[in-house]
Amino acid sequence: MSKVAIIGAGFVGSTCAYALFIEGVANEIALVDINKEKAKGEALDLIHGNLFTPYTKITYGNSYKLCKDADVVVITAGAHQKPGDTRLDLTKTNAKILKTMIDGIIQYNKECIILMVTNPLDVLTYLAQKWSKFPSQKVFGTGTSLDTARFKQLLGEYYNVNPTSVHAYILGEHGDSEFAVLSSANIAGIRLKDFKKYDKKKIDDLVKQTKNAAYEIINRKGSTYYAIGLVVRDIVSGIIKNQHRIFPISCMVDNYYGIKDVCLSIPCVLTKKGIVEKIHLHLDKNEQKMLKKSASVIKKYIKDVS
């Protein structure tokens, strides 16, 4: 039997639940929200669709007791980014909320994997690991998985190929200091710059579009939730089904190109045990510099909160 608890029944949390629900990823999904009526409403809406999906038990409420026996606890609750805000503007507010959530989770479950979705993602992932005192391989965030998907989509459109055939990563902070690993980016094993269509200025513009994608959506509709819901579905499915898939996720790093004691995104192999391997991707000198810049940005905000 598999169980996923989702803390936060807002746009992101409920969309994550829906994405998991329609695929039948877990036997049970528990929705936890401080607003019990909101959790109940979202739960009932899902329950009424059980006839059309692989059967999933849906539970709900405002008690962290619902996290008991969960294989994965997904944290989506917190203040949301508003137009003009950066993800890091949310740091202090969401750090306070996170402390309460971590205390609630560990009261009922000390064996689960904690998956952070709330922003600022890297800072909160670091704090979640420290406050929970869980092994670092069991606390991580969605990181740049969505940013990577956005970049691959844009590259696929530019090169006129299916984005699943594009191999490229966005790494570092899930935020403004993230960067594209262009030195190893390829399509069918051929480096991007070896294609006739390659245009450095255009590729740089695609990287910029990737960085600004969330801001563009937020300015138009107020928040993002569909794509991140699918990211959570893929990550949780990979964990529960023990698929050994690689995701660029935010995790605690120790001597990764000399970087220590900070959470940022690097490629990791995920199983039901959590992170079982951190892939030491080859980065050129400029990419190493950008990774270290991301680390310094995140560390500054961690220090401010601490």
Side-chain angles (χ1 to χ4, degrees):
M1 300 295 289
S2 55
K3 178 179 177 180
V4 178
I6 299 174
I7 301 179
F11 282 124
V12 175
S14 58
T15 306
C16 290
Y18 181 66
L20 292 166
F21 176 78
I22 60 174
E23 291 290 327
V25 171
N27 298 108
E28 179 180 349
I29 298 172
L31 279 174
V32 185
D33 198 283
I34 192 171
N35 183 344
K36 188 176 181 180
E37 289 303 305
K38 178 72 164 75
K40 182 176 181 178
E42 297 293 351
L44 288 174
D45 207 3
L46 290 171
I47 290 168
H48 296 160
N50 249 325
L51 185 66
F52 310 103
T53 66
Y55 183 81
T56 304
K57 180 181 179 181
I58 305 293
T59 52
Y60 62 88
N62 56 8
S63 171
Y64 289 101
K65 191 173 182 179
L66 285 164
C67 294
K68 185 178 179 181
D69 299 324
D71 300 282
V72 184
V73 176
V74 182
I75 298 179
T76 70
H80 297 291
Q81 201 172 340
K82 298 175 183 177
D85 287 348
T86 67
R87 294 180 179 96
L88 291 172
D89 288 332
L90 305 174
T91 304
K92 292 185 178 180
T93 300
N94 283 344
K96 291 178 182 178
I97 297 170
L98 177 65
K99 184 64 169 65
T100 302
M101 292 188 285
I102 295 298
D103 290 344
I105 293 166
I106 63 177
Q107 184 179 353
Y108 296 101
N109 192 334
K110 294 182 179 180
E111 303 298 325
C112 63
I113 288 170
I114 295 176
L115 177 61
M116 286 298 312
V117 183
T118 307
N119 284 318
L121 186 97
D122 305 288
V123 177
L124 296 187
T125 300
Y126 180 90
L127 296 176
Q129 199 278 315
K130 293 295 184 181
W131 289 336
S132 68
K133 298 182 180 178
F134 281 12
S136 60
Q137 68 265 26
K138 299 191 80 172
V139 182
F140 44 88
T142 50
T144 54
S145 295
L146 177 53
D147 309 277
T148 294
R150 288 167 171 159
F151 186 49
K152 290 170 70 174
Q153 175 68 34
L154 290 169
L155 286 172
E157 290 175 359
Y158 177 66
Y159 283 100
N160 197 28
V161 299
N162 190 303
T164 59
S165 297
V166 178
H167 307 286
Y169 284 117
I170 298 290
L171 298 183
E173 177 201 358
H174 174 54
D176 296 337
S177 69
E178 67 187 29
F179 67 97
V181 184
L182 295 176
S183 62
S184 59
N186 70 87
I187 299 171
I190 301 173
R191 293 181 301 175
L192 299 184
K193 63 181 181 180
D194 290 335
F195 281 85
K196 290 182 179 180
K197 196 174 181 180
Y198 178 77
D199 181 330
K200 185 180 184 303
K201 186 175 179 181
K202 177 62 179 177
I203 299 301
D204 288 343
D205 182 60
L206 297 184
V207 174
K208 185 177 180 181
Q209 287 182 51
T210 301
K211 288 185 179 184
N212 293 330
Y215 298 134
E216 184 176 346
I217 295 168
I218 289 166
N219 286 337
R220 285 172 166 78
K221 57 176 275 187
S223 57
T224 66
Y225 39 90
Y226 293 136
I228 190 61
L230 294 171
V231 168
V232 169
R233 182 205 65 191
D234 259 24
I235 291 175
V236 172
S237 180
I239 294 168
I240 289 176
K241 296 178 182 178
N242 203 35
Q243 293 175 328
H244 290 252
R245 288 184 61 186
I246 297 173
F247 293 91
I249 53 176
S250 182
C251 63
M252 188 71 73
V253 294
D254 181 21
N255 200 22
Y256 196 90
Y257 285 103
I259 300 167
K260 299 179 181 179
D261 195 34
V262 69
C263 288
L264 46 68
S265 287
I266 58 174
C268 297
V269 181
L270 284 182
T271 73
K272 62 183 179 182
K273 294 180 180 179
I275 298 171
V276 294
E277 184 178 356
K278 296 172 183 176
I279 306 297
H280 202 280
L281 192 68
H282 175 76
L283 303 177
D284 65 25
K285 289 184 178 180
N286 186 50
E287 290 161 352
Q288 292 177 41
K289 184 179 178 180
M290 289 189 285
L291 185 69
K292 290 174 181 177
K293 178 183 177 182
S294 264
S296 66
V297 169
I298 297 163
K299 282 186 174 183
K300 177 184 180 298
Y301 281 89
I302 290 171
K303 184 178 179 181
D304 288 347
V305 174
S306 301

